[in-house]
Amino acid sequence: MNYELFDVIVIGSGIGGLVTATQLAAKGAKVLILERYLIPGGSAGYFQSQGYTFDVGASMIFGFGKKGTTNLLTRALEAVNVNLETIPDPVQIHYHLPNGLDLKVEQNYEKFLQNLINYFPHEAKGIRSFYNECQKVFNCLNNIELLSLEEPRYVVRVFFQNPLACLGLAKYLPQNVGDVARRYIKDPLLLKFIDIECYCWSVVPAEMTPMINAGMVFSDRHYGGVNYPQGGVGKIAQKLAEGLEKAGGQIQYQARVTKILTEQGQAIGVQLASGQVYHGKRIVSNATRWDTFEKLLPSARMPSNEKIWQQRYKKSPSFLSLHIGVKASILQANTECHHILLEDWQNMELAEGTIFVSIPTLLDPDLAPTGYHIIHAFTPAWIADWQGLTPTEYEQKKEQAAGRIIQRLEKIFPGLDAGLDYLEVGTPLTHRRFLGRTDGSYGPIPQRKLRGLLGMPFNRTAIPNLYCVGDSTFPGQGLNAVAFSGFACAHRIAVDLGL
């Protein structure tokens, strides 16, 4: 063979791809990441403009805790000997909801429960029972090393080390949050609150959200807490990329993979838009499953289990994002970093229904010029609504949408419009262009109610030597969840390569 052969080639440098690559490089594998953009991170990337450093996606970060096993971002960085300072956020979310429900989710668990019970005193017992059940799920997860469930020896070892935790998780795998919540709670408004608690990270209501994921999110915010990386979310990917190179791996930017190469049905390499070909013993796609099986491989030959997956899951919406620079004086002294605004429960899942807000400069002022704050506001949007427009129509539509969002945000931040210093609007087309994600989608969501996490595929695919990682694999969306998929994928490949 006269060509260079890598042990593992990873397509895309989202957090799932980076964790897979760094874990394998740390074990001595020869790893190459191919990234289409100029910097790593994908949805966890950043951009800079006029003295501001903006996070591309959400700023609410789990996985940086100091104890247990669910602190996957901490562990991923440690594996390649890099470290990142983080800033704790004492409140996960400040909800501004219909029916006068104005509530902060404090890191202190008892304080949060009390805040909620104050609104629903008649449901005090149900509130405690439901959130305690979430804690049980989390304690099971936090007692075992989170690696690949596709690796039988690991599953057996973990079971014998901690049989009760494993049996606990097995019990919750087929369950959704809505079913568990309704066992304890009757008040329809409180059930709506549980819906938005799920929706704010799963983009579906409680009855479609797996209990395992909720157990992680609803409990880790009170355990490891929400911690913001100093310098912005983009630092996580930068540090992992740095760690990868320290460990002997390679990352190449502006390297857009257009094709996964196969021979006798097995994945053997990739081809770039430039025509350049790389060969690898194992290929990992950190692209979405739609991009992987419809664009990088011939869609006519899609494996039957991928067709079944596509019948179970659909693309979630994308987002309309407002990256705002604003005078610091418009924010009141006790403003929290993260907010969710919804005026009508009927609109929760609609385009422009729920508005998510992050103000990372409240935690790290260095991300904006002195005397200014960043407000990142984003709301679901569908790509179909933004296609077929002339450049002028597109700009007008962006301006109108931004005007509507800012007007609504004025309720929480009076004077926002007058205090604007900078405004950049991103649409689903922007997300598709820069992140290379089909329709700019945030990730897969169930087409209909499924049995918890059981429908989510693991990392191996029907094509030998091809693996998937990221939010279209178990356990789904969110930075800590895709880090989990990276640990699992790397573990499965390490066993397959005999590392």
Side-chain angles (χ1 to χ4, degrees):
M1 276 187 199
N2 59 358
Y3 56 75
E4 189 176 11
L5 181 67
F6 290 90
D7 289 323
V8 183
I9 294 172
V10 181
I11 304 164
S13 68
I15 297 298
L18 281 165
V19 171
T20 305
T22 47
Q23 286 286 304
L24 287 162
K27 290 182 169 79
K30 186 178 180 185
V31 181
L32 170 68
I33 294 183
L34 297 166
E35 168 55 49
R36 59 185 283 148
Y37 194 46
L38 307 164
I39 55 167
S43 307
Y46 71 98
F47 71 95
Q48 290 173 316
S49 186
Q50 294 179 26
Y52 293 97
T53 299
F54 291 104
D55 297 329
V56 168
S59 309
M60 193 192 299
I61 310 299
F62 296 89
F64 274 126
K66 299 279 185 279
K67 52 193 195 292
T69 61
T70 52
N71 54 348
L72 296 170
L73 295 174
T74 301
R75 290 173 54 211
L77 292 163
E78 280 173 355
V80 281
N81 300 311
V82 285
N83 90 348
L84 180 52
E85 291 301 316
T86 59
I87 304 150
D89 187 358
V91 169
Q92 184 214 6
I93 295 178
H94 184 173
Y95 284 110
H96 309 263
L97 302 175
N99 311 87
L101 196 50
D102 189 283
L103 181 89
K104 292 183 181 185
V105 179
E106 308 265 359
Q107 182 175 354
N108 180 298
Y109 182 54
E110 194 48 47
K111 222 171 178 182
F112 159 62
L113 291 182
Q114 211 45 63
N115 287 352
L116 194 54
I117 288 166
N118 290 343
Y119 277 97
F120 301 98
H122 53 291
E123 286 279 19
K125 186 169 178 242
I127 287 169
R128 285 190 179 279
S129 301
F130 168 69
Y131 283 101
N132 285 346
E133 187 109 358
C134 294
Q135 296 272 351
K136 281 183 200 165
V137 175
F138 178 73
N139 291 336
C140 293
L141 283 165
N142 205 30
N143 271 322
I144 62 176
E145 195 184 359
L146 301 175
L147 293 171
S148 177
L149 297 175
E150 293 183 283
E151 211 281 282
R153 282 173 302 180
Y154 157 76
V155 174
V156 169
R157 184 179 83 239
V158 163
F159 183 81
F160 280 111
Q161 282 169 348
N162 210 322
L164 293 176
C166 292
L167 289 169
L169 287 176
K171 180 180 111 177
Y172 289 111
L173 263 176
Q175 297 190 48
N176 289 320
V177 180
D179 301 327
V180 178
R182 279 192 299 274
R183 269 180 231 153
Y184 301 115
I185 292 166
K186 296 289 171 280
D187 187 308
L189 181 55
L190 180 53
L191 289 169
K192 285 279 181 211
F193 176 75
I194 305 289
D195 275 337
I196 201 157
E197 277 263 82
C198 293
Y199 184 78
C200 72
W201 49 269
S202 71
V203 214
V204 284
E207 70 160 11
M208 313 268 269
T209 300
M211 189 61 187
I212 297 271
N213 298 33
M216 185 81 134
V217 176
F218 293 168
S219 308
D220 194 28
R221 64 191 183 186
H222 307 292
Y223 178 82
V226 174
N227 298 280
Y228 188 77
Q230 198 156 4
V233 171
K235 287 282 181 212
I236 304 170
Q238 282 178 311
K239 287 286 185 184
L240 285 169
E242 188 188 304
L244 174 71
E245 291 178 327
K246 265 193 197 173
Q250 295 176 46
I251 183 161
Q252 203 175 312
Y253 298 102
Q254 293 180 289
R256 184 163 70 88
V257 174
T258 51
K259 205 176 189 180
I260 293 170
L261 304 174
T262 58
E263 202 172 83
Q264 296 173 326
Q266 301 195 10
I268 58 152
V270 298
Q271 186 174 339
L272 303 187
S274 64
Q276 170 92 36
V277 167
Y278 291 97
H279 291 88
K281 296 176 190 171
R282 298 291 185 276
I283 310 299
V284 179
S285 176
N286 191 194
T288 71
R289 282 189 114 80
W290 291 282
D291 288 303
T292 304
F293 289 96
E294 290 174 9
K295 294 177 186 165
L296 300 179
L297 288 159
S299 58
R301 295 212 294 273
M302 190 188 292
S304 57
N305 63 340
E306 291 302 324
K307 289 179 188 163
I308 292 166
W309 183 79
Q310 290 201 8
Q311 286 159 15
R312 287 181 180 158
Y313 287 87
K314 61 183 178 182
K315 295 165 205 162
S316 74
S318 183
F319 284 101
L320 173 76
S321 288
L322 272 61
H323 295 279
I324 302 168
V326 69
K327 285 180 184 159
S329 55
I330 73 129
L331 295 185
Q332 292 169 346
N334 57 352
T335 305
E336 302 300 344
C337 180
H338 296 103
H339 300 257
I340 284 183
L341 172 65
L342 177 66
E343 298 90 346
D344 183 341
W345 289 114
Q346 300 294 315
N347 297 342
M348 184 179 86
E349 294 180 77
L350 301 182
E352 287 186 35
T354 303
I355 302 179
F356 304 82
V357 178
S358 296
I359 314 173
T361 39
L362 289 168
L363 300 172
D364 186 353
D366 294 345
L367 301 172
T370 307
Y372 291 89
H373 276 299
I374 282 168
I375 295 181
H376 178 200
F378 48 108
T379 188
W382 295 98
I383 200 162
D385 295 334
W386 291 88
Q387 285 171 319
L389 303 171
T390 66
T392 309
E393 289 167 340
Y394 181 62
E395 288 307 318
Q396 281 174 344
K397 192 177 168 81
K398 284 206 303 190
E399 205 173 305
Q400 287 161 358
R404 287 193 300 273
I405 302 299
I406 288 168
Q407 196 177 353
R408 288 168 65 193
L409 290 176
E410 285 263 350
K411 292 169 201 153
I412 323 177
F413 312 119
L416 173 62
D417 198 12
L420 281 187
D421 173 60
Y422 179 92
L423 176 62
E424 183 83 51
V425 181
T427 72
L429 296 172
T430 321
H431 286 266
R432 185 177 68 183
R433 181 180 159 207
F434 287 104
L435 305 179
R437 294 179 66 89
T438 183
D439 295 347
S441 169
Y442 172 68
I445 54 175
Q447 294 262 24
R448 57 185 186 280
K449 188 177 174 183
L450 299 171
R451 295 186 64 222
L453 263 182
L454 293 182
M456 250 315 183
F458 293 119
N459 303 104
R460 284 193 292 190
T461 71
I463 295 167
N465 303 337
L466 175 66
Y467 305 73
C468 281
V469 73
D471 55 24
S472 357
T473 59
F474 183 95
Q477 287 125 337
L479 233 56
N480 213 22
V482 296
F484 183 163
S485 86
F487 274 96
C489 189
H491 173 219
R492 181 63 259 182
I493 292 171
V495 171
D496 293 346
L497 289 173
L499 294 175

